[in-house]
């Protein structure tokens, strides 16, 4: 993730993207479904895949929706304006803008938490030159709770809101390409793609809303499967199941490596 370092200065100000920028519109899209949390599953063989990756790739789905929203704004606006839509991959500190836009606060687990909807939300933005009225920033409501810090299996949350990304299972199983370091293997366990634990234990996600959007429903290949069942699938079948999903980031080779680390 050295790109984060290289682009930090550029990402600190959206006027580096659109020099005429006056407003950032932030959207939050619920992706939670009715399946149990990894922390609720007692079957020791069950494979754990982060829920944001169960369905279609959010970059494609939300990217297309943001372009539609932007097209609608351009139709409605009495004046022309400059704009760019971003989701995840754009040069934007998304959580910072989400907090300032009133979507939610950046929690101790470093995810944006909405007081009604929890944190199973994808963030996306439209940076534009329109001078729109702003919402109020969201207030931090983590209080004295430290459940996420305590529950993190790799102790990646080193202080409230501060993540040592190199310890996070999401980084270890998705972003980095080497074998999973031996010191983390036990803690990573059956987490074969990403991790949700610090959000699952969050009290703001105790009764979360569920999305009926077909885009986020779990694909059959990941729905309730064991690590053994996943490992038994051919590379071709895994490739087909991963097609147009966020799991393509790790590719079949990355998933296989994670399955090996899980002992299958
Ligand atoms: C790199 C990245 C990661 C890395 C590092 C995570 C991290 N916490 O930084 C890894 C791979 C570990 C990761 C993991 C996950 N990620 Co991620 N990730 C990103 C990404 C692409 C960039 C984040 C980044 O720049 N981090 C590096 C530094 C700068 O972060 P930081 O030091 O914590 O930054 C804080 C301060 O420095 C300060 N700050 C920085 N700049 C500025 C500027 C100003 C003006 C101010 C005031 C403050 C300020 O505020 C920042 C936010 O707290 C964003 C998308 C995006 N473009 O923003 C998604 C994003 C944060 N991830 C997301 C998700 C869903 C996840 C996972 C849940 C996926 C999973 N299930 O496995 C996990 C959660 C892990 C966790 N507890 O955070 C979502 C979060 C949604 C939400 N509700 O908040 C995002 C927003 C993507 C999206 N569009 O929805 N992720
Ligand atoms: S996603 Fe998992 S490994 Fe990463 S900080 Fe949260 S609990 Fe820890």
């Amino acid at each position: 993730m050295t790109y984060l370092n290289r682009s930090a200065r550029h990402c600190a100000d959206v006027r580096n993207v659109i020099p005429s920028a006056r407003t950032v519109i932030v959207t939050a899209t619920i992706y939670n479904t009715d399946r149990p949390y990894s922390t609720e599953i007692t079957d020791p063989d069950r494979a754990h895949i982060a829920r944001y990756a169960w369905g279609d790739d959010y970059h494609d789905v939300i990217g297309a929706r943001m372009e539609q929203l932007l097209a609608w704004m351009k139709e409605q606006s009495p004046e022309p304006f400059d704009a760019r839509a971003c989701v995840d991959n754009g040069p934007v500190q998304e959580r910072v803008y989400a907090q300032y836009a009133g979507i939610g606060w950046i929690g101790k687990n470093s995810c944006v938490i909405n007081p009604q909807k929890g944190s199973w939300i994808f963030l996306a933005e439209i940076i534009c030159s329109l001078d729109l009225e702003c919402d109020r920033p969201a207030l931090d409501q983590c209080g004295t709770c430290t459940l996420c810090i305590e529950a993190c299996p790799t102790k990646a949350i080193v202080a409230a809101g501060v993540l040592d990304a190199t310890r996070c299972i999401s980084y270890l199983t998705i972003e980095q390409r080497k074998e999973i370091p031996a010191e983390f293997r036990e803690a990573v366990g059956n987490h074969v793609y990403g991790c949700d634990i610090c959000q699952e234990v969050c009290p703001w996600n105790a009764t979360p809303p569920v999305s009926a959007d077909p885009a986020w429903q779990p694909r059959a290949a990941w729905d309730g499967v064991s690590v053994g069942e996943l490992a038994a699938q051919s590379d071709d079948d895994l490739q087909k199941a991963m097609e147009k999903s966020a799991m393509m980031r790790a590719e079949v080779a990355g998933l296989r490596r994670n399955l090996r680390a899980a002992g299958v």
Side-chain angles (χ1 to χ4, degrees):
M1 296 195 302
T2 46
Y3 75 93
L4 288 173
N5 224 348
R6 282 198 305 272
S7 59
R9 196 178 289 267
H10 186 67
C11 294
D13 189 337
V14 288
R15 282 167 298 195
N16 292 326
V17 183
I18 303 230
S20 56
R22 298 284 299 144
T23 304
V24 179
I25 300 165
V26 186
T27 65
T29 306
I30 295 170
Y31 62 86
N32 184 41
T33 61
D34 61 2
R35 302 302 192 273
Y37 287 172
S38 73
T39 46
E40 293 167 331
I41 292 168
T42 49
D43 175 359
D45 297 325
R46 181 69 73 83
H48 302 305
I49 293 172
R51 58 186 58 220
Y52 84 92
W54 288 353
D56 297 341
D57 190 336
Y58 64 101
H59 300 97
D60 301 338
V61 176
I62 298 179
R65 291 176 188 173
M66 296 305 278
E67 291 301 337
Q68 279 174 3
L69 174 60
L70 185 50
W72 176 82
M73 283 170 60
K74 290 205 159 159
E75 258 169 48
Q76 300 296 315
S77 174
E79 47 177 302
F81 61 93
D82 303 325
R84 175 166 159 191
C86 306
V87 50
D88 190 41
N89 42 9
V92 182
Q93 271 302 324
E94 297 189 307
R95 293 165 294 169
V96 175
Y97 286 98
Q99 176 151 344
Y100 278 94
I103 299 256
W105 72 96
I106 300 168
K108 288 183 185 163
N109 60 8
S110 89
C111 296
V112 169
I113 305 170
N114 174 280
Q116 280 82 39
K117 299 181 169 46
S119 67
W120 306 116
I121 46 177
F122 291 123
L123 302 176
E125 306 73 34
I126 290 176
I127 308 166
C128 68
S129 59
L130 293 171
D131 200 0
L132 303 178
E133 198 185 320
C134 288
D135 287 289
R136 288 212 185 128
L139 292 176
D140 188 331
Q141 296 189 57
C142 279
T144 54
C145 175
T146 51
L147 288 175
C148 59
I149 299 177
E150 287 146 29
C152 174
T154 53
K155 301 288 164 236
I157 308 172
V158 292
V162 182
L163 191 80
D164 176 351
T166 63
R167 300 184 72 88
C168 178
I169 293 173
S170 190
Y171 168 80
L172 293 168
T173 58
I174 304 171
E175 300 297 326
Q176 64 112 19
R177 303 285 148 169
K178 295 178 292 199
E179 289 300 316
I180 299 192
E183 61 174 306
F184 292 120
R185 280 200 202 148
E186 199 184 330
V188 173
N190 286 3
H191 290 272
V192 295
Y193 188 94
C195 170
D196 284 332
I197 293 174
C198 56
Q199 295 185 87
E200 291 172 337
V201 299
C202 176
W204 297 98
N205 284 333
T207 50
V210 164
S211 170
D213 192 331
W216 318 132
Q217 304 311 308
R219 294 184 175 182
W222 328 127
D223 202 3
V225 294
S226 68
V227 279
E229 284 165 333
L230 263 186
Q233 292 194 41
S234 69
D235 282 359
D236 275 358
D237 286 346
L238 287 176
Q239 174 74 27
K240 275 191 209 119
M242 285 164 98
E243 218 57 69
K244 296 196 171 169
S245 88
M247 283 182 72
M248 278 308 283
R249 185 152 180 95
E251 299 179 339
V252 173
L255 183 58
R256 284 250 179 261
R257 173 206 59 186
N258 300 340
L259 285 161
R260 275 198 307 277
V264 286

